[in-house]
Amino acid sequence: MKIAIASGKGGTGKTTLSVNLASWLALQDKVVLVDLDTEEPNSGIFLKLPLIRSIIGVKPVPVWQSDNCLHCGKCQGYCQFHAIISLPSEVLVFPKLCHSCYACSELCPASALPMLNEKIGKIDHFARENLTFIEGKLDVGQEMAVPLIKQAITYTESQSVNSEWLIFDSPPGNACPMIEATKVADFIILISEPTPFGLYDLSLSVQSLRKLNRNFGVVINREGIGNSDLERYCLDEDIPVIARIPQSRLIAESYSAGKLVYHEDNDFLSSLKQIKDFLQNDAFSC
């Protein structure tokens, strides 16, 4: 089962839930966890697994071949992302704006813009016993996370053939990286906190996932702060609340020390059991 853990905003507990759920499930089942928050991955801090291999993440970008160029300017017109400027004497390519759509390269009448791979980051593969952990890490200065997220998912799926669980720790927000990280999941867990800010961004995620016709439910983290608006919203929108994780100083201290929380807090462990039970029995009847 492919599970994505996402939210509308950062700091709601995606990584806390991802690493603890993966580690706890791995006590009995084969689990693959992949950190797709490629701009700031941090799941590995809590797992401390040995490195198996590291591969380079790349993005195809056009490279101007001046000897072939007819200076017709068509490439600039084809590019919808303003990654190419055609000047009278040269063509300027801006790789960080390129979306690797291949339009300029394929439609150039002189084949003057071949696509070549540019390094944008790396994908690290860690493993021990039942738990495999894969981390995408974007190079500093890179503008777009989606190409590396795509490669990390492709690599992860090739490594998870015999696994019972595949868990995606998704990027924060509701933009393209989050959509890319969740689109192959069988079920999406949206984790939020009961605050006005948490509710607002959760509602944006709900709108996005409904547009995409995806199965999802909500985990309420830090229950006890804020107000009851989040709970009321889920009830009104007929969104299943899978589990509630209470506001706890012990959870915060464990997380700050880089510990797995379910080892320290029984309430948190109970929430993990509720989540597993829901995923196995109720996730697709919502």
Side-chain angles (χ1 to χ4, degrees), residues 3 5 14-15 17-23 30-36 42-44 46-47 49 124-126 130-136 156 160 163 165-170 260:
I3 305 299
I5 298 176
K14 289 185 305 297
T15 296
L17 182 57
S18 297
V19 296
N20 281 276
L21 182 60
S23 180
K30 288 189 177 296
V31 180
V32 178
L33 169 66
V34 53
D35 192 341
L36 296 177
N42 62 348
S43 296
F46 302 91
L47 297 176
L49 302 178
D124 289 332
H125 179 160
F126 306 83
N130 279 349
L131 181 57
T132 296
F133 170 55
I134 295 166
E135 177 187 78
T156 299
S160 58
S163 299
W165 300 91
L166 174 52
I167 300 174
F168 300 117
D169 182 5
S170 305
L260 292 171

Side-chain angles (χ1 to χ4, degrees), residues 1 11 22 42 47 68 92 101 111 119 128 132 153 184 211 219 226 241 248 269-271 277:
M1 185 182 291
N42 62 348
L47 297 176
N68 297 340
L92 302 179
C101 71
S111 300
K119 180 179 178 294
R128 181 188 291 128
T132 296
I153 291 174
V184 299
K211 282 282 187 181
V219 168
V241 176
S248 165
L269 178 58
S270 296
S271 297
D277 182 68

Side-chain angles (χ1 to χ4, degrees), residues 130-283:
N130 279 349
L131 181 57
T132 296
F133 170 55
I134 295 166
E135 177 187 78
K137 183 176 290 186
L138 203 64
D139 284 347
V140 174
Q142 288 295 329
E143 299 286 339
M144 282 182 262
V146 169
L148 189 61
I149 291 173
K150 286 182 178 179
Q151 289 172 69
I153 291 174
T154 299
Y155 177 78
T156 299
E157 291 182 325
S158 72
Q159 302 298 313
S160 58
V161 176
N162 298 317
S163 299
E164 287 88 353
W165 300 91
L166 174 52
I167 300 174
F168 300 117
D169 182 5
S170 305
N174 299 284
C176 295
M178 177 270 205
I179 299 300
E180 189 66 36
T182 58
K183 71 180 186 181
V184 299
D186 300 314
F187 191 86
I188 298 152
I189 296 174
L190 294 174
I191 183 166
S192 188
E193 55 195 20
T195 63
F197 194 9
L199 172 56
Y200 177 76
D201 282 344
L202 174 74
S203 69
L204 298 180
S205 296
V206 168
Q207 292 175 46
S208 299
L209 295 178
R210 282 181 168 164
K211 282 282 187 181
L212 298 171
N213 197 29
R214 308 310 310 282
N215 294 311
F216 64 91
V218 167
V219 168
I220 299 176
N221 191 23
R222 301 177 68 198
E223 187 183 41
I225 66 170
N227 53 41
S228 61
D229 290 351
L230 178 60
E231 189 96 31
R232 190 178 305 114
Y233 170 80
C234 292
L235 181 63
D236 292 344
E237 294 292 325
D238 197 26
I239 300 169
V241 176
I242 304 170
R244 297 166 177 82
I245 301 171
Q247 167 75 349
S248 165
R249 182 180 179 88
L250 178 58
I251 292 175
E253 289 176 347
S254 300
Y255 179 88
S256 299
K259 298 178 181 178
L260 292 171
V261 178
Y262 76 90
H263 288 156
E264 313 292 328
D265 189 277
N266 288 330
D267 290 334
F268 193 92
L269 178 58
S270 296
S271 297
L272 296 184
K273 293 176 180 177
Q274 292 173 28
I275 293 168
K276 180 182 180 182
D277 182 68
F278 178 89
L279 292 173
Q280 290 180 323
N281 299 303
D282 302 312

Side-chain angles (χ1 to χ4, degrees), residues 56-64 79 81 83-84 93-106 113-121 138 142 144-151:
I56 294 175
V58 297
K59 180 179 79 170
V61 297
V63 177
W64 180 54
C79 183
F81 306 104
I84 294 179
V93 177
F94 300 92
K96 289 184 173 61
L97 298 179
C98 177
H99 283 60
S100 304
C101 71
Y102 279 76
C104 64
S105 181
E106 296 291 336
L113 288 164
M115 301 292 284
L116 297 178
N117 284 334
E118 175 188 79
K119 180 179 178 294
I120 58 171
L138 203 64
Q142 288 295 329
M144 282 182 262
V146 169
L148 189 61
I149 291 173
K150 286 182 178 179
Q151 289 172 69

Side-chain angles (χ1 to χ4, degrees), residues 62 64 69 71-95 97-98 104 113:
W64 180 54
C69 186
H71 298 284
C72 62
K74 291 181 178 180
C75 53
Q76 179 173 319
Y78 295 142
C79 183
Q80 300 298 303
F81 306 104
H82 309 292
I84 294 179
I85 295 178
S86 179
L87 301 175
S89 60
E90 65 178 319
V91 173
L92 302 179
V93 177
F94 300 92
L97 298 179
C98 177
C104 64
L113 288 164

